[in-house]
């Protein structure tokens, strides 16, 4: 393995020689990477380089054709995204994440809503608990909301991204995989998401951050792994590389 | 590319202290309450008419209120089931004939049970049979939509035809009369001499459905599925199971409407719910739901159903040609949808398509 990260903590997530082929097409060939607690690893590469295939293999969407995934040093196999999530690996997609018509609390607790007994016998949704948990969670992300009863459709793109991250944080995700979290956002919103990623890092979570935007990558990542046509083209510490070098790795030559 | 790559790195941006999203604009408030505003305006109009033209009162007359309530019962029940389905992003076109099927089956079963058991038991058995029968087409709808991925419009349109045919076959092409004192008492007598029993049964059921939609996981998941099925699936909700139950519930609502029809008229008729289907969709839309799914409430639908009932009864009251009913209801639907669209485009809400 590489030791570019240079930190002494044991890896949270380790990917060893991961391959994935679809029929005759090999989308991913022997890619390895590690993520430590409190570390942000950027995944870069041109379209079709294998970034999405890699994260889908890690998050349980695809079963890898070869190689292994270790969580806390233990080999794991995820049959479904649900299993990966149960083990603390949460993927945050750009727009598939939220039910727009529900509140922040409703989204955080979607599918796992807390209930209480009204009048001593009638089970009802515990909206106050959802709102309080939502307020606390969002405050941990430095995101203070005045009205917890508004549907998330009232919020901006960056704020919605924060809600999706908040849900992962609330359910104790240890590794967050973020697929182009800034792509659909305006510049101030992008900066807000970058600030959120700094928060996650400070909380000791591992982040895999996929982006086309080198500015964002250099603003937040500790390391960058560049993929090209399914193979690892290079891995660099952000403090020791430059935009030019990364671009060279991406396009080859 | 030539800029210093580290320039952004040291300066994480502090987000502003408070995100003020979530304040409702005036337009949003109007849109939310539009069914109640329509209802209030209509009642005011008919009250004014009664005072000026007849020198009497519209609202002060209990007979008017009872008639409107009885008139609204079946529409309310169908619209309640329709509300659940429309919030999930679907539509149920079969409700009218499921109601007719339940009415016919309930009538047949009460006729069969009359000589075998005491009158109240016969009525109870007939009611149960009617509601349970209505769950079968509901379950088929649910299976088609949830498991075979048939679009709700098409699947329930097919069931519209099937339920219609079966109901007419079972009724022998005519109505099925029943003679049972308890049944007719249930359909026509009043609590304290003023509140019809059918209205009370419907009100209790609708209150229960309001609870299910607004206070349970089932209701919460229904909204989530209507807004974003992928998000719901990713959150671990079993969408197929949910949709299946949803269409069974919707069928059961129509079943209850059918058995109450049989009680009210002491007869089952296959065409009992025929004119009510589009009224049920109209009530849901006037009540504030979007046909794209994800929004709507039972209370809104109740107001929407009463808007239709008040228009239809009120225009008889003011004695104009009945065709004005169609025009009035049509105009209210269009205005209602226009308010909804204005609210969406002006308030800057990020509604997904």
């Amino acid at each position: 393995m590489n030791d570019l990260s240079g930190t002494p903590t044991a890896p949270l997530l380790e990917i060893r020689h991961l391959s994935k082929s679809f029929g005759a097409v090999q989308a991913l060939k022997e890619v390895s990477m590690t993520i430590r607690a409190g570390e942000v690893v950027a995944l870069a590469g041109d379209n079709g380089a294998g970034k999405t295939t890699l994260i889908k293999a890690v998050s349980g969407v695809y079963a890898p054709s070869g190689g292994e995934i270790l969580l806390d040093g233990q080999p794991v196999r995820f049959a479904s995204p649900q299993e990966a999530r149960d083990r603390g690996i949460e993927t945050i997609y750009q727009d598939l994440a939220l039910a727009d018509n529900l509140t922040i609390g409703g989204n955080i607790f979607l599918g796992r809503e807390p209930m209480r007994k009204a009048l001593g016998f009638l089970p009802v949704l515990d909206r106050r608990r959802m709102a309080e948990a939502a307020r606390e969670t969002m405050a941990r992300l430095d995101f203070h909301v005045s009205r917890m009863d508004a549907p998330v459709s009232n919020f901006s793109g960056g704020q919605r991204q924060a809600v999706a991250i908040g849900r992962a944080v609330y359910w104790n995700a240890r590794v967050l995989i973020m697929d182009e979290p800034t792509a659909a956002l305006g510049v101030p919103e992008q900066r807000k998401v970058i600030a959120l990623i700094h928060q996650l890092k400070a909380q000791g979570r591992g982040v895999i951050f996929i982006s086309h935007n080198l500015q964002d990558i250099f603003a937040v990542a500790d390391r960058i792994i560049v993929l090209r046509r399914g193979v690892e083209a290079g891995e660099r510490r952000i403090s020791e590389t430059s935009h030019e070098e990364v671009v060279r790795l991406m396009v080859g030559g | 590319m030539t800029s210093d790559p580290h320039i952004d790195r040291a300066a994480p941006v502090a987000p502003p202290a408070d995100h003020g999203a979530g304040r409702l604009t005036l337009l949003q408030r109007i849109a939310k309450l539009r069914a109640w505003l329509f209802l209030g305006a209509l009642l005011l109009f008919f009250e004014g008419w009664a005072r000026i033209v007849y020198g009497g009162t519209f609202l002060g007359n209990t007979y008017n209120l009872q008639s409107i309530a009885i008139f609204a019962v079946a529409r309310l029940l169908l619209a309640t089931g329709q509300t659940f389905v429309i919030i999930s992003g679907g539509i149920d076109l079969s409700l009218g004939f499921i109601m007719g099927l339940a009415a016919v089956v309930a009538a047949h079963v009460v006729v069969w049970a009359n000589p075998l058991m005491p009158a109240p038991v016969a009525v109870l058995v007939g009611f149960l049979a009617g509601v349970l029968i209505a769950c079968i087409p509901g379950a088929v709808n649910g299976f088609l939509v949830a498991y075979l991925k048939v679009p709700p419009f098409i699947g329930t349109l097919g069931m519209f035809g099937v339920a219609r045919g079966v109901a007419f076959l079972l009724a022998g092409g005519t109505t099925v009369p029943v003679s049972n004192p308890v049944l007719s008492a249930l359909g026509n007598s009043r609590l304290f001499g003023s509140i019809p029993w059918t209205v009370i049964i419907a009100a209790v059921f609708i209150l229960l459905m309001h609870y299910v939609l607004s206070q349970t996981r089932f209701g919460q998941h229904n909204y989530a599925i209507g807004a974003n099925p992928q998000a719901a699936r990713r959150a671990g909700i079993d969408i197929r199971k949910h949709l299946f139950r949803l269409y069974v519930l919707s069928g059961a609502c129509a079943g209850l409407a059918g058995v109450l029809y049989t009680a009210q008229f002491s007869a089952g008729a296959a065409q009992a719910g025929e004119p009510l289907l589009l009224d049920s969709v109209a009530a849901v839309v006037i009540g504030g739901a979007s046909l794209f799914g994800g929004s709507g409430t039972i209370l809104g639908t109740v107001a929407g159903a009463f808007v239709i009932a008040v228009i239809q009864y009120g225009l008889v009251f003011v004695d104009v040609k009945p065709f004005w009913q169609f025009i009035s209801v049509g105009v209210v639907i269009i205005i209602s949808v226009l308010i909804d669209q204005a609210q969406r485009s002006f308030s800057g809400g990020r509604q997904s398509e």
Side-chain angles (χ1 to χ4, degrees):
Chain A
M1 299 271 67
N2 58 76
D3 47 8
L4 273 172
S5 53
T7 35
T9 43
L12 212 53
L13 184 74
E14 205 175 335
I15 294 157
R16 289 185 185 159
H17 311 295
L18 204 73
S19 299
K20 174 69 189 172
S21 37
F22 300 95
V25 182
Q26 185 144 34
L28 210 58
K29 199 173 167 188
E30 305 241 339
V31 174
S32 298
M33 69 189 286
T34 54
I35 295 100
R36 291 180 163 78
E39 205 183 22
V40 179
V41 180
L43 211 49
D46 209 349
N47 291 333
K51 301 175 305 229
T52 306
T53 309
L54 177 59
I55 63 156
K56 284 192 169 170
V58 175
S59 63
V61 178
Y62 297 148
S65 320
E68 55 180 354
I69 301 168
L70 292 90
L71 190 63
D72 295 321
Q74 300 293 317
V76 286
R77 258 183 188 282
F78 302 128
S80 70
Q82 192 67 50
E83 266 181 40
R85 211 169 309 140
D86 290 344
R87 297 293 299 272
I89 300 178
E90 183 87 31
T91 314
I92 294 170
Y93 293 97
Q94 269 179 57
D95 18 272
L96 299 182
L98 301 178
D100 268 355
N101 53 352
L102 302 185
T103 60
I104 297 179
N107 272 288
I108 287 179
F109 286 95
L110 187 57
R112 305 180 258 203
E113 292 82 359
M115 305 295 288
R116 67 182 173 88
K117 292 262 193 287
L119 312 169
F121 72 99
L122 194 67
V124 297
L125 292 175
D126 195 343
R127 291 187 201 279
R128 181 183 297 177
R129 206 180 122 201
M130 290 198 268
E132 272 164 15
R135 192 191 306 279
E136 274 170 34
T137 307
M138 300 316 283
R140 275 166 79 190
L141 296 172
D142 227 344
F143 180 95
H144 301 275
V145 187
S146 51
R147 288 274 311 265
M148 299 306 297
D149 57 350
V152 296
S153 60
N154 285 25
F155 296 98
S156 70
Q159 292 169 333
R160 288 145 51 88
Q161 202 57 256
V163 174
I165 294 168
R167 176 167 59 191
V169 167
Y170 181 85
W171 295 104
N172 285 320
R174 298 165 67 210
V175 178
L176 283 92
I177 303 173
M178 304 174 75
D179 190 1
E180 297 277 5
T182 57
L185 306 177
V187 173
E189 296 280 302
Q190 289 178 5
R191 301 179 70 120
K192 210 172 290 171
V193 171
I194 296 300
L196 281 172
I197 296 174
H198 278 288
Q199 293 277 347
L200 296 173
K201 184 173 152 65
Q203 290 167 11
R205 299 172 209 277
V207 177
I208 301 176
F209 174 69
I210 296 185
S211 182
H212 274 100
N213 186 333
L214 290 185
Q215 289 262 7
D216 287 350
I217 289 175
F218 276 79
V220 75
D222 297 295
R223 280 181 295 134
I224 181 167
I225 293 170
V226 179
L227 298 180
R228 192 171 66 234
R229 286 188 221 126
V231 293
E232 192 176 318
E235 174 169 358
R236 298 287 184 274
R237 246 187 274 186
I238 289 293
S239 53
E240 294 167 0
T241 187
S242 64
H243 283 205
E244 289 82 356
E245 189 185 16
V246 170
V247 171
R248 228 176 10 252
L249 288 170
M250 283 167 72
V251 298
Chain B
M1 285 301 184
T2 50
S3 67
D4 177 1
H6 301 272
I7 202 152
D8 285 324
R9 203 180 145 91
V13 184
D18 179 72
H19 302 277
R23 309 248 309 279
L24 292 176
T25 63
L26 180 64
L27 198 56
Q28 276 175 316
R29 279 171 209 276
I30 291 174
K32 240 183 151 172
L33 292 173
R34 64 183 184 262
W36 296 101
L37 296 175
F38 276 131
L39 191 57
L42 284 167
L43 290 174
L44 272 180
F45 171 78
F46 289 120
E47 182 64 25
W49 186 286
R51 279 169 195 265
I52 293 162
V53 182
Y54 300 148
T57 167
F58 181 73
L59 283 172
N61 185 337
T62 345
Y63 177 78
N64 287 341
L65 298 184
Q66 286 170 351
S67 305
I68 291 170
I70 291 170
F71 192 67
V73 162
R75 284 166 177 77
L76 277 166
L77 291 173
L78 293 195
T80 297
Q82 195 72 270
T83 304
F84 276 86
V85 175
I86 284 179
I87 289 172
S88 80
I91 192 159
D92 191 341
L93 298 180
S94 63
L95 286 177
F97 283 108
I98 293 181
M99 173 181 164
L101 179 65
V104 169
V105 168
H108 271 310
V109 170
V110 176
V111 168
W112 165 81
N114 264 339
L116 304 175
M117 50 192 85
V121 183
V123 171
L124 191 66
V125 171
F127 270 34
L128 283 177
V131 173
L132 287 178
I133 274 291
C135 293
I136 296 174
V140 175
N141 282 335
F143 185 74
L144 291 173
V145 172
Y147 293 92
L148 301 183
K149 311 280 174 228
V150 176
F153 191 94
I154 301 301
T156 60
L157 182 63
M159 188 48 65
F160 163 96
V162 173
R164 178 187 208 174
V166 172
F168 275 108
L169 282 174
L170 288 178
T174 170
T175 54
V176 182
V178 200
S179 170
N180 178 310
V182 176
L183 186 71
S184 56
L186 196 64
N188 298 293
S189 68
R190 282 140 206 234
L191 180 66
F192 309 129
S194 61
I195 311 172
W197 280 103
T198 50
V199 173
I200 292 171
I201 294 172
V204 169
F205 179 78
I206 289 164
L207 208 59
L208 181 71
M209 289 301 111
H210 170 65
Y211 157 76
V212 170
L213 182 60
S214 65
Q215 299 298 335
T216 67
R217 286 188 182 142
F218 182 85
Q220 184 84 346
H221 296 175
N222 202 44
Y223 283 105
I225 289 170
N228 190 340
Q230 290 103 323
R233 190 177 301 116
R234 283 180 44 76
I237 296 171
D238 187 338
I239 294 185
R240 289 185 298 186
K241 199 161 105 189
H242 178 93
L243 288 180
F244 180 79
R245 290 177 177 175
L246 176 68
Y247 283 89
V248 172
L249 176 73
S250 162
C253 290
L256 183 60
V259 300
L260 291 184
Y261 176 95
T262 301
Q264 205 177 334
F265 295 97
S266 280
Q271 71 277 18
E274 187 168 13
L276 305 185
L277 169 70
L278 290 179
D279 280 359
S280 80
V281 177
V284 176
V285 171
I286 295 170
S290 156
L291 282 178
F292 294 112
S295 69
T297 60
I298 294 292
L299 294 183
T301 295
V302 167
F306 270 109
V307 165
I308 294 172
V310 168
I311 288 178
Q312 292 178 339
Y313 181 80
L315 290 180
V316 175
F317 178 77
V318 303
D319 198 22
V320 295
K321 287 207 171 64
F323 308 113
W324 283 100
Q325 293 171 14
F326 304 136
I327 297 173
S328 320
V329 174
V331 168
V332 171
I333 293 172
I334 292 169
I335 294 175
S336 174
V337 169
L338 288 178
I339 291 176
D340 187 48
Q341 290 194 337
Q343 174 253 130
R344 275 160 208 273
S345 52
F346 292 138
S347 62
R350 300 171 37 102
Q351 299 289 338
S352 45
E353 306 305 309

